[in-house]
Amino acid sequence: MHPEIEALLDQAENRFLKGEELIAFKRQIATLSQRLKIYEFLREKEASIFQPVANKLQETFPDEKEETLERSLKHWLLVLRYSSMAMLLNDRDFLEQRLLDWVSGIVEAHQTQKIEATVCNLLQTRLKELLSEQARAILQPFFDQAKSMIIDQGNKE
């Protein structure tokens, strides 16, 4: 469940919500509606989001093995899915748990830091083309968190 909503419900377990708690609850419900619209849009447009990214990636790395490019694209497909779900839930821990399951060491093991960074940048550019500024502002913190875990951590090591 949405952590902020769950916290409000926990606070009101044995009483009615106070005025300021109701306002916070309404705010969370309103943002949940926005988050759901963004999530549905990303789910429905997934193929049209990634096809131009895949095309540009092949142009950028023409000598790279197709399976290597596909693997990096699949990573970022999962990143977008996990980031979208974390955004819907408004739960950064969800995203971290999902990414830690497979991300630690995978980029370094395959030596694909440059490809991963390129896919990330292409994907961000594509999202800027398709999402409103408001929608990007809601999704971006989760996407940035994923980018930090995959790209930035890989560059530190």
Side-chain angles (χ1 to χ4, degrees):
M1 185 189 290
H2 210 269
E4 288 87 359
I5 293 173
E6 189 174 7
L8 284 168
L9 294 175
D10 286 345
Q11 291 171 7
E13 191 171 310
N14 296 315
R15 62 173 173 76
F16 284 108
L17 291 172
K18 297 176 185 174
E20 64 272 5
E21 292 169 331
L22 273 174
I23 291 169
F25 189 78
K26 288 177 185 178
R27 188 173 42 251
Q28 290 303 321
I29 296 301
T31 64
L32 182 57
S33 175
Q34 291 174 316
R35 292 169 191 273
L36 185 57
K37 286 178 186 175
I38 297 164
Y39 181 87
E40 288 174 330
F41 176 84
L42 293 170
R43 185 193 68 192
E44 291 168 13
K45 301 291 184 187
E46 183 177 73
S48 63
I49 291 170
F50 275 92
Q51 190 58 58
V53 171
N55 295 344
K56 185 69 174 170
L57 189 64
Q58 285 179 324
E59 289 174 22
T60 307
F61 297 98
D63 298 329
E64 193 63 57
K65 291 180 184 175
E66 189 173 326
E67 64 192 42
T68 302
L69 299 178
E70 284 179 10
R71 184 177 44 245
S72 292
L73 281 168
K74 286 177 185 177
H75 290 164
W76 288 94
L77 183 70
L78 286 173
V79 166
L80 183 61
R81 289 175 182 172
Y82 291 152
S83 296
S84 298
M85 181 56 73
M87 175 223 35
L88 180 61
L89 298 170
N90 198 25
D91 188 350
R92 290 176 179 269
D93 291 338
F94 171 88
L95 180 60
E96 187 169 333
Q97 290 168 354
R98 292 300 185 272
L99 291 180
L100 286 178
D101 285 346
W102 59 271
V103 80
S104 60
I106 202 164
V107 174
E108 299 92 83
H110 293 288
Q111 296 295 304
T112 56
Q113 292 91 339
K114 188 174 181 179
I115 296 170
E116 299 283 341
T118 301
V119 176
C120 178
N121 291 333
L122 291 170
L123 181 55
Q124 283 189 301
T125 299
R126 187 73 179 127
L127 292 173
K128 283 181 184 177
E129 294 169 0
L130 296 173
L131 293 175
S132 70
E133 193 171 320
Q134 181 183 15
R136 281 195 327 273
I138 293 171
L139 177 64
Q140 197 64 47
F142 300 95
F143 193 84
D144 288 346
Q145 177 184 1
K147 178 185 174 197
S148 175
M149 292 177 72
I150 296 170
I151 305 295
D152 299 340
Q153 273 187 344
N155 289 336
K156 286 179 189 173
E157 297 172 6

